[in-house]
Amino acid sequence: MLSVKHLSFSYHKTPVLKDLSFNINQGEHLAVIGESGSGKSTLLKLLYGEYDLDLGSIHWKNNEILGPKYNLVIGYDFMKYVAQEFDLMPFISVEENIGKFLSNFFPEEKKERTAELLDVVELSAFAKTKVKTLSGGQKQRVALARALAKQPEIILLDEPFSHIDNFKKQSLRRRVFRYLKEKNITCIVATHDKDDVLGFADTMIILHNNKIETINTPEHLFKNPKTPLIASFFGEFNVIDNKIVYAHQLEPVETSQLKATVVHSYFKGNYYLIEVKVNEDTIFFENDTKLKTGDIVFLKSLK
Ligand code: ADP
Ligand code: MG
């Protein structure tokens, strides 16, 4: 189990994280979300032992994670960290980068393991390619494979798919997260993308104002968004009579108290997002068809 107790940290004088406590079990996937600058990357670096805590403690099983004040070499064998800025060796090939940390005493196993990892990150065709010639997204995938090479007990991923284009992202996500689950690797992923969370994370932490705003399952938080910040992570929403109502929870009806004027229809693929005005307030709802600007609609909340 990873156990974080009363963790506080500041880079200089300004606190970044204040009194964070949480636990994660072996094999569990935790998503850390929050706005840019909320401290997601900092939290991952602290979990890795890159900095010394101001207060509190971090334990993985019976090991205390300690910072540079106590460790000559940062990091632990049981843990791997893929930073937002991944540093690879540019002048050697993809497979050499991945194999760098695998033993040369077992060449057959090394070859098989490298092939398996190349398959997970869908880079088999680039095995012999020099890293410096790869795109940002491909480099990110090499960094992922390299972190997995020695099968860590716990892996820390900082926005792991941020450089990867949409064509590849969906399938890569499924492969990587499925691989981690199969191998029972504990995973902590910092992200602002809900697609990295829904369907994959067991638990979600939302960082806000230097603290954990909430910690729960993605499903619980999606269904019970207590604050606009939580709702905004999942999608378009409105605050109506002090209640949070997602855009998909409003539908047009024959007549209702909520009379609205259409401002704009945004094509979203399998639906249109309709922006309307109700008195002075802007409201969004989802509709099957496009509506004309200036049209009057009556809305009903399904909540
Ligand atoms: P996130 O990953 O959620 O965007 P970060 O953890 O990168 O947030 O940053 C949290 C806060 O700490 C920000 O205000 C950022 O400017 C500050 N910060 C991050 N890294 C450093 C650093 N090396 N030195 C000083 N301040 C930093
Ligand atoms: Mg970050």
Side-chain angles (χ1 to χ4, degrees):
M1 185 170 85
L2 179 80
S3 171
V4 174
K5 291 203 179 84
H6 304 293
L7 173 157
S8 291
F9 176 76
S10 44
Y11 281 102
H12 305 293
K13 288 267 156 59
T14 14
V16 177
L17 297 168
K18 277 196 249 176
D19 200 26
L20 268 57
S21 296
F22 60 91
N23 296 322
I24 332 168
N25 293 317
Q26 172 83 53
E28 208 181 321
H29 285 195
L30 173 78
V32 177
I33 71 153
E35 292 163 296
S36 189
S38 60
K40 302 181 294 296
S41 295
T42 303
L43 177 59
L44 258 54
K45 287 175 184 168
L46 292 170
L47 296 178
Y48 189 61
E50 201 163 310
Y51 301 116
D52 297 297
L53 304 182
D54 295 346
L55 287 171
S57 67
I58 305 166
H59 284 86
W60 172 248
K61 296 178 180 166
N62 294 322
N63 305 287
E64 180 161 15
I65 309 289
L66 295 167
K69 229 188 247 173
Y70 307 89
N71 270 332
L72 192 57
V73 179
I74 289 171
Y76 295 84
D77 282 346
F78 51 82
M79 186 186 282
K80 279 282 176 280
Y81 164 57
V82 183
Q84 246 172 321
E85 334 65 42
F86 22 89
D87 62 315
L88 299 166
M89 283 160 279
F91 300 107
I92 62 174
S93 73
V94 168
E95 65 179 9
E96 286 165 329
N97 262 276
I98 295 172
K100 192 81 191 156
F101 301 111
L102 296 173
S103 168
N104 287 321
F105 284 108
F106 308 99
E108 271 311 305
E109 283 83 350
K110 181 171 175 172
K111 225 170 112 186
E112 268 174 39
R113 181 88 182 114
T114 306
E116 181 191 19
L117 293 164
L118 282 168
D119 184 54
V120 172
V121 297
E122 300 181 34
L123 278 181
S124 306
F126 294 87
K128 310 276 182 223
T129 308
K130 284 214 175 30
V131 160
K132 73 176 167 70
T133 66
L134 298 178
S135 71
Q138 289 168 330
K139 284 184 189 146
Q140 193 163 32
R141 279 142 67 196
V142 178
L144 265 171
R146 194 182 55 172
L148 292 170
K150 265 197 156 173
Q151 193 139 324
E153 293 176 36
I154 174 165
I155 191 164
L156 310 171
L157 303 174
D158 200 344
E159 310 209 5
F161 308 109
S162 57
H163 295 262
I164 293 155
D165 58 62
N166 281 329
F167 300 106
K168 270 262 171 286
K169 216 182 245 184
Q170 311 292 351
S171 80
L172 186 68
R173 250 194 213 113
R174 282 193 292 269
R175 271 165 182 269
V176 169
F177 286 129
R178 198 184 304 144
Y179 177 88
L180 295 172
K181 272 285 174 201
E182 273 166 23
K183 305 281 180 183
N184 202 33
I185 298 170
T186 305
C187 167
I188 303 178
V189 51
T191 184
H192 51 243
D193 186 344
K194 69 173 187 305
D195 291 336
D196 289 344
V197 178
L198 298 179
F200 303 116
D202 302 300
T203 311
M204 208 171 119
I205 280 180
I206 300 184
L207 293 179
H208 186 53
N209 287 339
N210 316 111
K211 292 187 176 232
I212 293 181
E213 162 137 334
T214 185
I215 174 165
N216 214 310
T217 63
E219 191 168 342
H220 179 86
L221 293 176
F222 173 74
K223 289 182 178 159
N224 310 279
K226 288 262 168 3
T227 62
L229 179 77
I230 301 171
S232 67
F233 179 71
F234 294 110
E236 295 287 349
F237 70 98
N238 310 286
V239 180
I240 300 173
D241 296 336
N242 290 319
K243 269 201 297 200
I244 287 171
V245 183
Y246 289 111
H248 70 264
Q249 293 173 320
L250 280 177
E251 69 171 23
V253 287
E254 199 69 12
T255 181
S256 77
Q257 300 287 318
L258 209 59
K259 183 182 175 188
T261 311
V262 175
V263 176
H264 196 83
S265 297
Y266 299 90
F267 177 59
K268 289 287 188 180
N270 56 350
Y271 68 93
Y272 284 85
L273 182 70
I274 316 285
E275 180 180 341
V276 295
K277 275 255 187 245
V278 176
N279 303 321
E280 289 310 301
D281 298 328
T282 296
I283 284 183
F284 291 95
F285 72 99
E286 292 181 9
N287 201 43
D288 288 344
T289 56
K290 187 174 181 170
L291 299 179
K292 270 217 306 286
T293 301
D295 276 4
I296 302 292
V297 285
F298 295 93
L299 297 173
K300 187 179 105 184
S301 168
L302 301 171
K303 261 189 97 178

